[in-house]
Amino acid sequence: MAINVVLPDSYGYVALAACSMAWLNFAQANVVGSKRKAAKIPYPQMYADKAQQEASKEAYAFNCAQRAHGNTLEYLPTTLFALLFAGLRYPMFAAYAGASVTVGRILYSVGYIRSGPQGRYGLGGGLATLGSIVLYVGSTWAALQMVMEN
């Protein structure tokens, strides 16, 4: 049995925003891999230990890259859901909010890797968090509208 799904005309922008998050994940994973190699941290070791980190700036940079990537992965499932769901009712609103999450996460990651944990508090972290919250509110509002229509 076939099911037809009708998406808003602008839903392609929502899909592009979602794809940008996938590419962000891919890029962060590659940065982590290169930092791991430079720091000579063997698999399956998740982070450089304290002694490695104190002995090597490369190990510290690896830990920062790994943590920035991990934090993105923590937000990604709920943010992607909220993006795709909010986009059903408000495609351009969702696409812009999703793009702000990606841009914010890029800035967050660069700041974290270059300056350590204090670097994540610049514009990037705030922009990414704000974009995610906007998507959570938008998806909740879209769900409430669907319930109220019935």
Side-chain angles (χ1 to χ4, degrees):
M1 171 178 3
I3 298 174
N4 293 322
V5 177
V6 179
L7 298 173
D9 290 337
S10 302
Y11 202 78
Y13 293 105
V14 175
L16 283 173
C19 289
S20 75
M21 292 178 192
W23 285 109
L24 168 66
N25 178 47
F26 179 78
Q28 285 180 322
N30 281 294
V31 169
V32 169
S34 69
K35 298 290 184 189
R36 175 185 291 280
K37 185 175 182 179
K40 298 179 174 77
I41 305 299
Y43 286 104
Q45 189 174 335
M46 200 62 180
Y47 290 96
D49 62 32
K50 187 173 182 173
Q52 289 171 313
Q53 185 175 284
E54 289 173 353
S56 164
K57 67 180 181 176
E58 288 84 8
Y60 182 74
F62 165 70
N63 279 357
C64 291
Q66 181 80 312
R67 188 63 206 119
H69 185 224
N71 186 260
T72 297
L73 292 175
E74 291 165 8
Y75 272 83
L76 203 54
T78 53
T79 299
L80 270 173
F81 169 78
L83 167 66
L84 297 172
F85 193 78
L88 294 173
R89 288 279 176 136
Y90 310 106
M92 294 309 295
F93 167 85
Y96 285 124
S100 74
V101 170
T102 300
V103 170
R105 285 279 157 197
I106 291 168
L107 295 172
Y108 173 91
S109 297
V110 169
Y112 206 146
I113 294 165
R114 286 187 181 168
S115 304
Q118 65 276 9
R120 64 194 167 145
Y121 294 117
L123 175 64
L127 182 61
T129 301
L130 179 62
S132 290
I133 291 169
V134 165
L135 287 170
Y136 302 157
V137 170
S139 62
T140 302
W141 182 247
L144 286 170
Q145 284 184 317
M146 289 177 179
V147 169
M148 291 187 293
E149 287 172 358
N150 289 328

